[in-house]
Amino acid sequence: METVLLCIVAVAILIVLFTKLYFMHLGVENVIAKKDSRSAFVVDEQTEDSLTFSTNVEFVNEGKQCTVMMDCLVRPQLPYEQYDGVETRGHAELLSAPREDDYFEAYIIQRKGYGKDLDRATIKAQIKLIARHGMTIKEAISKMPDFNFLIIWMEAGRMEAHYRQVRIEVPAAEIAKLVGTELVEA
């Protein structure tokens, strides 16, 4: 009886091992932000007390399997402890499918080399700066430090769904130039 039980356990272990090896051979998805693909920042909207600017970032699937990119968001990293002159808000959308409801529609990115550019996606990352403490947006930006924002997305495919991120630098001098002001020493 023990021999039969050991044989069953050994066969089960071999099945699991061969299954894992087979899936390793097939590969997994691997979505990354294409190096140096960030476009220049552009002004989407500017008022007396706010600025909305954006950049496009190209993502490619370097993996052997297709994936679904979903729940993409932009998270500005400019807390009030660092600079309380502006409130920041972020928004992400597929460049090919803009939305007004702040919802990121899931998008299938095919495996590397699939063709017809279906192995990539371009995300428009948008940041809104809102001046605080009675300042105009130009005044607030003139005192603003450099900061970063994260593009965070969930991807799912052969691997279990997981979050990934990429950090984008936002030089204050570049934003000041966009709105026609200069940085001042604080």
Side-chain angles (χ1 to χ4, degrees):
M1 188 68 167
E2 286 182 23
T3 307
V4 172
L5 188 58
L6 285 175
C7 286
I8 291 172
V9 170
V11 168
I13 290 172
L14 284 173
I15 289 172
V16 169
L17 181 64
F18 283 123
T19 303
K20 286 190 180 249
L21 287 172
Y22 176 70
F23 284 130
M24 283 175 53
H25 169 70
L26 289 179
V28 295
E29 69 281 351
N30 182 27
V31 175
I32 60 170
K34 193 172 175 186
K35 191 164 179 68
D36 300 325
S37 72
R38 177 183 79 80
S39 65
F41 292 120
V42 295
V43 174
D44 293 337
E45 182 181 4
Q46 183 175 350
T47 66
E48 188 68 26
D49 67 345
S50 71
L51 171 72
T52 304
F53 65 95
S54 63
T55 183
N56 298 329
V57 180
E58 186 176 11
F59 290 82
V60 294
N61 184 357
E62 292 287 326
K64 294 182 179 181
Q65 297 294 322
C66 69
T67 187
V68 177
M69 186 178 203
M70 53 193 153
D71 295 340
C72 187
L73 57 102
V74 171
R75 183 172 187 270
Q77 296 183 312
L78 186 59
Y80 290 163
E81 294 86 2
Q82 183 180 0
Y83 178 63
D84 70 347
V86 292
E87 176 184 334
T88 59
R89 296 282 176 242
H91 172 75
E93 61 187 27
L94 280 169
L95 187 61
S96 61
R99 296 183 63 112
E100 295 180 12
D101 61 357
D102 210 23
Y103 180 80
F104 187 86
E105 187 173 340
Y107 182 73
I108 295 173
I109 304 176
Q110 296 296 335
R111 71 184 186 282
K112 182 179 181 178
Y114 188 82
K116 300 181 185 176
D117 287 336
L118 295 175
D119 61 352
R120 60 196 68 236
T122 302
I123 303 296
K124 179 180 180 179
Q126 200 171 49
I127 303 289
K128 183 171 188 170
L129 303 175
I130 303 164
R132 298 181 70 226
H133 307 300
M135 291 189 282
T136 66
I137 194 64
K138 286 185 177 186
E139 290 171 324
I141 289 174
S142 71
K143 301 171 187 174
M144 185 177 75
D146 295 346
F147 70 98
N148 301 306
F149 66 86
L150 298 177
I151 300 176
I152 304 168
W153 70 95
M154 179 184 278
E155 66 182 56
R158 188 165 304 282
M159 288 179 22
E160 193 172 306
H162 56 283
Y163 282 98
R164 305 213 29 211
Q165 67 185 23
V166 64
R167 182 188 327 260
I168 307 293
E169 295 179 11
V170 181
E174 191 172 342
I175 303 306
K177 186 175 178 181
L178 276 179
V179 298
T181 191
E182 292 186 17
L183 296 179
V184 297
E185 293 293 322

